[in-house]
Amino acid sequence: MARIRVLVVDDSVVVRRLVTDALSSDPVIDVVGVAANGQIAQTKVGQLAPDLVTMDIEMPVMDGIDAVRTLRGAGHRMPIIMFSTLTERGATATLDALSAGATDYVTKPANVGSVTESLQRVASELIPRIKALVPRPAGAPERPGAGAPRTAPAPPARRPVVLRARPEGRKVRAVVVGSSTGGPEALSQVMRGITAPLPVPVVVVQHMPPVFTRQLAARLDRLGGSTVVEATAGQDLRPGTVYIAPGDLHLTLEPSASGARTVLTQGPPVNFCRPSVDVMFRSAVQVFGGDLLGVMLTGMGSDGRAATEDLVLAGGTMLVQDEPTSVVWGMPGAVATAGLAHAVLPLDEMAAAMVRGVEAGVTVR
């Protein structure tokens, strides 16, 4: 069986051991080396050619953000997962790292009662991401021969996609967006592309913890023509405003005199997620019916697929990010391969398609 080679970078001996032990519990993952700072990591990447790197943020000599920037500048394209703290400072640094080229992030265990619980937490956060970011094709060699150059594994076979015919005669009263792994940078590109406020509200679920969503909203607010806020309870949705679901809370919509208002709840996770795309999409359909433009961006898992079916059956239109431009084609792929997409688009075309879709109802190309 092909194994995934991981380099662990952290200045703490304890954390390096914790991450190494957590990852070594999986038979598919092989921790091939560790590094105590970003400068050492540059050398280790050249020597070991890992499939993936886990990277601490705050380290001496060279921190994680500079390490990511340097690795990307040197042409290294392997996924890099940041290991962050659940604080304002940690959130800011994590978003900086993602902007510098990091692929994803996890938060370090906090207020955990035992080493065993810490191991379980790290394993449950890191291992699924690693396997999603480094798919191993059947029959791939477990390890390259001595001195042989390592090549990237062949991409998995493209999954079949059948586009739906676009509905006719629908206006768009709101846009709903779902995203996860790779989503912060995808949302950044979309916001940059929407240079004038849309004439309808936009509601976004990005899988992120508390604090991170507030920081993300503030960053997105600076990028384009739209006002971007972290949603609070009881807000009436306004045209030209983008509402980001807060971390660890479900965002739903309910009818109001102005059209719709926000409701925040801490109900059980759906698809292991809170906030959940399915929860938000489904409530939007209850308020707006089919007068919706849905967008599914890059993300791991399938959150949003079930409620997308409700949206499409109600008469709404669904745009999906394509596989080549997605960090992980999980959420968009689940929608597309279920035959629920009206268009599958590269990320650099998504903003323009959203603008056209809102302005012309359902004419998105």
Side-chain angles (χ1 to χ4, degrees):
M1 178 173 57
R3 293 170 68 85
I4 300 171
R5 296 159 55 84
V6 176
L7 173 67
V8 175
V9 184
D10 201 292
D11 65 321
S12 166
V13 174
V14 173
V15 174
R16 290 200 301 270
R17 172 53 57 190
L18 178 68
V19 175
T20 298
D21 288 349
L23 297 185
S24 298
S25 67
D26 190 285
V28 173
I29 297 174
D30 186 8
V31 176
V32 294
V34 298
N37 60 57
Q39 189 175 82
I40 297 171
Q42 311 297 316
T43 302
K44 290 290 185 77
V45 166
Q47 293 173 341
L48 302 173
D51 297 309
L52 181 142
V53 176
T54 69
M55 182 79 70
D56 188 22
I57 292 178
E58 296 186 10
M59 296 180 290
V61 185
M62 179 183 285
D63 67 21
I65 299 169
D66 284 342
V68 170
R69 193 175 288 115
T70 303
L71 286 168
R72 294 306 188 218
H76 295 290
R77 303 265 63 88
M78 71 279 162
I80 301 174
I81 300 177
M82 307 307 293
F83 209 40
S84 172
T85 55
L86 189 57
T87 62
E88 292 277 358
R89 183 175 175 178
T92 299
T94 300
L95 292 171
D96 287 343
L98 293 173
S99 295
T103 312
D104 199 7
Y105 68 94
V106 298
T107 55
K108 293 182 178 180
N111 302 318
V112 177
S114 69
V115 173
T116 300
E117 289 178 272
S118 294
L119 282 168
Q120 291 173 343
R121 164 76 187 278
V122 170
S124 66
E125 291 282 340
L126 273 177
I127 290 173
R129 283 174 167 81
I130 291 170
K131 291 181 177 180
L133 292 170
V134 190
R136 310 302 291 181
E142 181 165 323
R143 190 165 297 188
R150 299 185 72 245
T151 57
R158 290 287 175 86
R159 288 171 273 179
V161 172
V162 178
L163 299 182
R164 298 178 72 92
R166 297 187 184 92
E168 299 294 336
R170 281 284 188 188
K171 67 178 181 177
V172 173
R173 292 194 286 152
V175 177
V176 290
V177 182
S179 58
S180 185
T181 310
E185 286 307 296
L187 288 167
S188 295
Q189 186 164 337
V190 169
M191 289 298 107
R192 288 189 191 97
I194 301 176
T195 55
L198 294 176
V200 299
V202 180
V203 186
V204 178
V205 166
Q206 162 68 43
H207 295 153
M208 290 187 108
V211 181
F212 284 63
T213 46
R214 182 167 64 252
Q215 294 274 359
L216 176 65
R219 288 180 179 237
L220 296 178
D221 185 55
R222 298 192 289 265
L223 296 181
S226 303
T227 298
V228 184
V229 299
E230 185 185 51
T232 58
Q235 288 176 299
D236 287 317
L237 299 190
R238 299 185 182 280
T241 301
V242 180
Y243 301 85
I244 307 290
D248 203 34
L249 292 171
H250 288 308
L251 171 60
T252 60
L253 306 178
E254 67 179 13
S256 71
S258 62
R261 73 166 61 93
T262 58
V263 178
L264 301 179
T265 65
Q266 203 164 26
V270 175
N271 303 314
F272 307 101
C273 301
R274 187 173 60 212
S276 164
V277 181
D278 266 329
V279 170
M280 189 271 282
F281 273 27
R282 192 164 284 120
S283 73
V285 173
Q286 292 171 352
V287 174
F288 294 106
D291 295 342
L292 287 167
L293 177 64
V295 179
M296 194 67 74
L297 300 176
T298 175
M300 187 172 70
S302 60
D303 186 31
R305 195 219 68 84
T308 294
E309 186 169 359
D310 296 344
L311 185 153
V312 168
L313 291 177
T317 303
M318 195 69 202
L319 309 181
V320 169
Q321 185 176 348
D322 69 0
E323 187 170 8
T325 65
S326 294
V327 173
V328 179
W329 208 54
M331 288 162 53
V335 171
T337 57
L340 298 171
H342 297 94
V344 178
L345 306 168
L347 181 60
D348 62 4
E349 295 181 19
M350 189 63 75
M354 291 168 64
V355 172
R356 289 195 297 271
V358 169
E359 291 176 346
V362 295
T363 306
V364 298
R365 289 186 74 87

